[in-house]
Amino acid sequence: MSGRQLHLNVNILHAGFSPAAWRMDGVDPHAAFDVNHYVQVARIAERGTFDAIFLADQAAIADRIDYRPITSLEPTIVLATIAAATERIGLIATASTSFNEPYNIARRFATLDHVSGGRIGWNIVTTADPASARNFGLTGAIDHGRRYERAAEFAEIVKALWDSWEDDAFIGDVAGGRFVDAAKVHAIEHKGAHFSVHGPHNVPRSPQGHPVVVQAGGSDDGKELAARHAEAVFSASQSLEEALSYAQELKTRAQIYGRTGGVPLNLAGLATIIGSTEAEAERRQEELWDRIPLDYSLTRLSGVLGIDRERLKLDEKLPEGIQLPSNGGHTFFKATLTLARSNGFTVRQLIRALNGSTGHRTIVGTPEHIADDIERWFLAGAADGFNLIPDVLPTGLEVFVDTVVPILRRRGLFRTDYEGRTLRDHLGLARPESRFAQPPHKAPALLGATH
Amino acid sequence: MSGRQLHLNVNILHAGFSPAAWRMDGVDPHAAFDVNHYVQVARIAERGTFDAIFLADQAAIADRIDYRPITSLEPTIVLATIAAATERIGLIATASTSFNEPYNIARRFATLDHVSGGRIGWNIVTTADPASARNFGLTGAIDHGRRYERAAEFAEIVKALWDSWEDDAFIGDVAGGRFVDAAKVHAIEHKGAHFSVHGPHNVPRSPQGHPVVVQAGGSDDGKELAARHAEAVFSASQSLEEALSYAQELKTRAQIYGRTGGVPLNLAGLATIIGSTEAEAERRQEELWDRIPLDYSLTRLSGVLGIDRERLKLDEKLPEGIQLPSNGGHTFFKATLTLARSNGFTVRQLIRALNGSTGHRTIVGTPEHIADDIERWFLAGAADGFNLIPDVLPTGLEVFVDTVVPILRRRGLFRTDYEGRTLRDHLGLARPESRFAQPPHKAPALLGATH
């Protein structure tokens, strides 16, 4: 295999991105709450030699659970379970910097990296939604700028902790009685605006040095965080032009932090609805739409818009003068609303647009159609790969692996087998050296910690 | 099998309780950092039909890592890995209430309970050591009373979140389109001195209703926490008399909270050094002592006492006037120091006493000797079972399972096979009903959460 290679992740969004996914044939309605579902999907992705699976997260119920699954099981525990049931595929989980402590997150992801043999990624997010805030002592969401300030400091601490054991700190000299070379285990002595963390970490450096850091925010602050800390970005462009401009912007921003050589990788979100003919794919989309209760759709839309549900008439346009509440978490809704306005959508059409995706571009079509699109974006430099969001799981991924992947392989765009063992190997990312390993270093070593 | 049955846990304290465990035959020196070691030990315990394995925790390096392993890999991730590799054995991990958020802990342990099919326990601790505090923004340890106040409120919130989904909240009606009965998913609306948590939980009620709550503190505040919240206690009595008095005290305290019927269970810590003859067991103990570097022992002792190392003369008694620093975490050291004084120990003898255990009673002897002791304590009502702390792992557990367990089985004290599937089954603990399930309830249901 030669030439630039495509990267493929799959977002295991419970039963699939469609609110009606759990009602489709081939889906266990209880799947969202059953770890075996996640394991099954990961195995299908591994059969398709995907780079990684990805788990989103939210620490609250922030949707209408009477009608659809939510993000539920805690992702790092799910990753550990998947790690035990797979061999090669990368495993990425989301953990919020807003409601966690950096020492705990550093430790959990380093431990995951150890138990999986170096297959872990951390999707670093900030949490905007007020439902989550109320589960952590706050009455509303934290201010956007402050959230990202905290996130940047959080990421810096986590990476410093991951570096705090040099790679060769462990000795294990049974005869001589020396367990670890304490001079190679370093306090980090971080004191910042949000955190004060002394260190060192209590977990040895993990197989990948750092678990791969991933980021997905599309705001200005989000792009800055990505440019500075991320090694892969989950981007959300709706058109090729937008994607090309995003790719250029990301590159420029990353260069400011001295980062070149294609880092961070740009993985574009891609929701898929696949059929053996275009008509079949469209029928599948119709079926998914039809299975979403109207009550769900109207409640959701009125919630997003912050207006009374009674004002929404299904076959009329949106009432004039409606503004989307200004909230960084609603980029997608804002885009959809703009689209609806410019196309003169009725409420019914708007609902379909909202329910038909997750904020990412959706392709409805045949395997050839999807493969062509992927190839076009990839070759144009609009993306280094894709973060797939199948309509329904496992079936939507299964059909992708069985029909789209073979086309991509025939075209020489995608691996036919894994060549390495770690997520860094799959993504072609270098293993970072510990910042403390550069001689001469001035970092204080851990000298005889006591009780 | 009939009559009252013994319970057995094993504490997988990295390579074993002895600081020299990692240097012994049959031990991989890297074991403490290798999840396969923990899996291997858990499988041996499962072969011995133990009730559970147990993982301690500490979020810092608080010992001389140049000489001995520390608590390192994050315990909930290790439990998830063990869960995937075992079928029946219970799995208990420690998580501190001092440096975590209740929503996160509720969620992680509920998820573990789901993925393990109901085999999880949470050992609720507060964290005293200053090294940990410095990793979480503090300059020193939190005041003892305040720590326990926070722990009690923390436990209350976690249990309320575990109750917040009634057992039958999930519907999964594919035809009708109803996913969950939102009237059976309840906000908890907790507002207290330390936390404010709105709820509901975003994880359905787990197989055990509540993961089993375990507690180990020996202080007055610790006993109160155990009496109120714990379903099993890891106790640390040094003599039968002390244990009987502790058992009575625990019972009395629990009754104040309306808890009867043998809850919490009293599991006594028991460190073991086993030989096929008494002489062989003693030789093994000597060998373990001999392999602990003197530098380690002297540094540790001077640290505990807060005095200069130069003042410690190996073959003399401790200097007069030495006081142990007043710190709740040092109960064991205090007891050892008192013992040393009353026996006229030299520094060398004191070091042996300190290195020879973990704060729990140690038995050095043959399988018969250990089985007799266990039987005596159990029949006297001094313990409902034991939390074993083998000197060396896996070898110290292997010999217990192969030699002590068969004796206990022959005497009708211990199961020959698992009779149930959950940790509650093994421990004979009832599954708690959700507090919201009692009709009539007044708790607010989750009515249409929105974005």
Side-chain angles (χ1 to χ4, degrees):
Chain A
M1 208 165 62
S2 66
R4 184 168 155 252
Q5 288 288 305
L6 185 67
H7 300 289
L8 289 176
N9 291 340
V10 58
N11 182 349
I12 311 186
L13 197 65
H14 31 80
F17 77 75
S18 167
W22 67 277
R23 301 178 66 187
M24 297 291 280
D25 285 348
V27 182
D28 172 6
H30 192 259
F33 304 136
D34 183 355
V35 78
N36 296 316
H37 168 69
Y38 298 84
V39 167
Q40 183 194 3
V41 175
R43 282 178 167 157
I44 294 167
E46 191 171 56
R47 174 160 69 75
T49 61
F50 272 44
D51 294 74
I53 64 101
F54 163 69
L55 299 176
D57 194 35
Q58 192 155 34
I61 296 177
D63 203 341
R64 285 292 297 268
I65 195 163
D66 41 352
Y67 290 126
R68 69 171 301 181
I70 48 159
T71 300
S72 173
L73 300 177
E74 199 282 323
T76 60
I77 298 298
V78 176
L79 278 205
T81 307
I82 299 176
T86 54
E87 293 288 332
R88 293 293 192 98
I89 193 162
L91 308 166
I92 305 172
T94 301
S96 173
T97 55
S98 301
F99 305 119
N100 279 295
E101 289 278 344
Y103 200 91
N104 291 336
I105 292 297
R107 197 168 169 218
R108 216 144 82 240
F109 280 83
T111 300
L112 278 168
D113 208 42
H114 279 288
V115 308
S116 68
R119 296 190 281 139
I120 298 298
W122 171 36
N123 179 37
I124 174 170
V125 302
T126 73
T127 303
D129 86 284
S132 299
R134 283 194 297 270
N135 289 332
F136 295 88
L138 302 174
T139 51
I142 313 162
D143 163 76
H144 192 264
R146 209 179 132 74
R147 277 204 331 266
Y148 275 89
E149 245 181 58
R150 178 179 159 114
E153 189 180 332
F154 195 115
E156 191 47 50
I157 296 165
V158 167
K159 295 206 278 191
L161 287 168
W162 285 339
D163 280 347
S164 68
W165 286 55
E166 295 181 39
D167 284 312
D168 56 353
F170 177 74
I171 304 170
D173 172 9
V174 169
R178 288 187 73 210
F179 184 67
V180 156
D181 182 352
K184 293 188 172 174
V185 179
H186 305 274
I188 66 165
E189 297 186 351
H190 175 91
K191 282 196 176 65
H194 297 264
F195 301 101
S196 159
V197 179
H198 188 273
H201 203 198
N202 65 347
V203 181
R205 206 144 193 273
S206 72
Q208 294 187 106
H210 298 178
V212 175
V213 177
V214 177
Q215 206 273 344
S219 70
D220 214 58
D221 290 331
K223 287 176 190 165
E224 208 52 30
L225 185 64
R228 188 168 153 195
H229 288 294
E231 298 171 277
V233 172
F234 293 154
S235 57
S237 304
Q238 299 294 328
S239 68
L240 185 63
E241 296 65 40
E242 202 187 310
L244 285 166
S245 135
Y246 173 82
Q248 185 53 52
E249 184 185 355
L250 185 64
K251 202 170 171 179
T252 308
R253 284 186 191 250
Q255 279 167 349
I256 294 169
Y257 292 101
R259 307 178 77 209
T260 54
V263 174
L265 291 166
N266 174 19
L267 307 179
L270 183 59
T272 51
I273 301 178
I274 308 176
S276 59
T277 64
E278 295 291 326
E280 190 187 302
E282 276 158 31
R283 274 200 303 277
R284 184 173 166 95
Q285 184 176 39
E286 287 292 327
E287 188 184 349
L288 284 165
W289 276 335
D290 287 346
R291 293 205 180 188
I292 303 170
L294 209 54
D295 184 45
Y296 167 78
S297 303
L298 289 170
T299 311
R300 189 179 182 212
L301 182 58
S302 69
V304 168
L305 298 174
I307 63 166
D308 275 358
R309 206 172 121 163
E310 287 64 39
R311 295 184 61 197
L312 299 171
K313 309 288 175 204
L314 272 176
D315 295 307
E316 297 176 15
K317 294 184 190 173
L318 275 188
E320 287 301 313
I322 288 177
Q323 299 286 328
L324 201 67
S326 74
N327 181 325
H330 285 133
T331 318
F332 161 62
F333 295 122
K334 214 173 280 175
T336 309
L337 199 63
T338 309
L339 193 74
R341 284 245 166 76
S342 61
N343 289 321
F345 278 3
T346 62
V347 166
R348 196 186 297 275
Q349 288 168 317
L350 176 57
I351 282 172
R352 289 207 162 192
L354 273 177
N355 283 339
S357 180
T358 57
H360 291 273
R361 189 167 62 108
T362 308
I363 312 186
V364 183
T366 62
E368 286 286 340
H369 174 165
I370 290 170
D372 289 348
D373 187 279
I374 285 176
E375 180 172 11
R376 188 167 65 251
W377 277 49
F378 179 64
L379 295 181
D384 299 307
F386 295 86
N387 191 33
L388 286 190
I389 316 167
D391 50 356
V392 178
L393 288 167
T395 54
L397 178 66
E398 214 151 32
V399 69
F400 187 96
V401 164
D402 291 336
T403 64
V404 183
V405 166
I407 302 173
L408 298 171
R409 284 176 176 162
R410 277 199 301 276
R411 296 182 188 175
L413 297 169
F414 190 58
R415 67 174 73 85
T416 52
D417 203 353
Y418 291 107
E419 291 170 5
R421 298 215 72 94
T422 69
L423 178 55
R424 288 187 179 280
D425 291 341
H426 306 337
L427 294 173
L429 294 168
R431 185 180 188 278
E433 255 203 286
S434 164
R435 68 193 65 191
F436 295 110
Q438 316 296 332
H441 64 73
K442 298 191 185 74
L446 173 75
L447 294 171
T450 56
H451 252 282
Chain B
M1 208 167 62
S2 65
R4 184 167 155 254
Q5 288 288 305
L6 184 67
H7 300 290
L8 290 176
N9 291 339
V10 59
N11 182 349
I12 312 186
L13 195 65
H14 32 80
F17 78 75
S18 167
W22 67 277
R23 302 178 66 187
M24 297 292 279
D25 285 348
V27 181
D28 171 5
H30 192 259
F33 304 136
D34 182 356
V35 78
N36 296 316
H37 167 69
Y38 298 84
V39 168
Q40 183 194 3
V41 175
R43 282 179 166 157
I44 294 166
E46 190 169 58
R47 175 160 69 75
T49 62
F50 272 46
D51 293 75
I53 64 100
F54 163 69
L55 299 176
D57 194 35
Q58 193 155 33
I61 297 177
D63 203 343
R64 285 292 298 267
I65 196 164
D66 41 351
Y67 290 126
R68 67 170 302 181
I70 49 160
T71 300
S72 172
L73 300 178
E74 199 282 323
T76 60
I77 299 298
V78 176
L79 279 205
T81 308
I82 298 175
T86 54
E87 292 288 331
R88 294 293 193 98
I89 193 162
L91 308 165
I92 305 171
T94 301
S96 173
T97 56
S98 301
F99 305 119
N100 280 295
E101 288 279 345
Y103 200 91
N104 292 336
I105 292 297
R107 200 168 166 218
R108 216 144 81 240
F109 280 84
T111 300
L112 279 168
D113 208 42
H114 279 288
V115 308
S116 68
R119 296 191 281 140
I120 298 299
W122 170 36
N123 179 37
I124 176 172
V125 301
T126 73
T127 303
D129 85 285
S132 299
R134 282 193 298 270
N135 290 332
F136 294 88
L138 302 174
T139 50
I142 312 161
D143 163 75
H144 192 265
R146 210 179 131 74
R147 275 202 333 265
Y148 275 89
E149 244 180 58
R150 179 179 158 113
E153 190 179 332
F154 195 116
E156 190 48 49
I157 296 165
V158 167
K159 295 206 277 189
L161 289 168
W162 285 338
D163 280 346
S164 68
W165 287 55
E166 295 183 39
D167 283 312
D168 56 353
F170 176 74
I171 304 169
D173 172 8
V174 169
R178 288 187 72 210
F179 185 67
V180 156
D181 183 351
K184 293 188 171 172
V185 178
H186 305 274
I188 67 164
E189 296 187 351
H190 175 91
K191 283 196 176 66
H194 297 263
F195 300 102
S196 159
V197 179
H198 188 274
H201 202 197
N202 65 348
V203 181
R205 206 144 193 275
S206 72
Q208 295 187 106
H210 297 179
V212 175
V213 176
V214 177
Q215 206 274 344
S219 70
D220 214 57
D221 289 332
K223 287 175 190 166
E224 208 51 29
L225 185 64
R228 189 168 152 194
H229 288 293
E231 296 170 279
V233 172
F234 293 154
S235 56
S237 304
Q238 300 294 329
S239 68
L240 185 64
E241 297 65 40
E242 201 187 311
L244 285 167
S245 136
Y246 173 83
Q248 185 55 51
E249 184 185 354
L250 185 65
K251 202 170 171 177
T252 309
R253 283 186 191 250
Q255 278 168 349
I256 295 169
Y257 292 102
R259 307 179 76 208
T260 53
V263 174
L265 291 166
N266 173 20
L267 308 178
L270 183 60
T272 51
I273 301 178
I274 308 177
S276 59
T277 62
E278 294 292 325
E280 190 187 300
E282 276 159 30
R283 273 199 306 275
R284 185 173 166 96
Q285 183 176 40
E286 288 291 328
E287 188 184 349
L288 284 165
W289 276 336
D290 287 346
R291 293 206 180 188
I292 302 170
L294 208 54
D295 184 46
Y296 168 77
S297 303
L298 288 171
T299 310
R300 190 179 182 212
L301 182 59
S302 70
V304 167
L305 299 174
I307 63 167
D308 275 358
R309 205 173 122 165
E310 285 64 40
R311 294 183 63 197
L312 300 171
K313 308 290 174 202
L314 273 175
D315 295 306
E316 297 175 16
K317 293 184 191 175
L318 276 186
E320 287 300 313
I322 288 176
Q323 298 286 328
L324 201 68
S326 74
N327 181 326
H330 284 134
T331 317
F332 160 62
F333 296 121
K334 212 173 281 176
T336 309
L337 200 63
T338 308
L339 193 75
R341 284 245 166 77
S342 61
N343 288 321
F345 278 4
T346 62
V347 166
R348 195 186 298 275
Q349 288 168 316
L350 175 56
I351 281 171
R352 291 205 160 192
L354 272 177
N355 284 338
S357 180
T358 57
H360 290 274
R361 191 167 61 109
T362 307
I363 312 185
V364 184
T366 62
E368 287 284 341
H369 172 166
I370 290 171
D372 289 349
D373 187 277
I374 285 176
E375 181 172 13
R376 188 167 66 251
W377 276 49
F378 179 64
L379 295 182
D384 299 306
F386 295 86
N387 191 34
L388 286 191
I389 315 165
D391 51 356
V392 179
L393 288 168
T395 53
L397 178 65
E398 214 151 30
V399 69
F400 186 96
V401 165
D402 291 336
T403 63
V404 183
V405 166
I407 301 172
L408 298 172
R409 284 176 175 162
R410 277 200 300 276
R411 296 181 187 175
L413 297 169
F414 191 57
R415 68 174 71 85
T416 53
D417 203 353
Y418 291 108
E419 291 171 5
R421 297 215 74 92
T422 70
L423 178 54
R424 287 187 179 279
D425 291 341
H426 307 338
L427 294 174
L429 294 169
R431 185 180 189 279
E433 256 204 285
S434 163
R435 68 193 66 188
F436 296 110
Q438 315 295 332
H441 65 74
K442 298 191 188 73
L446 172 75
L447 295 170
T450 56
H451 251 280

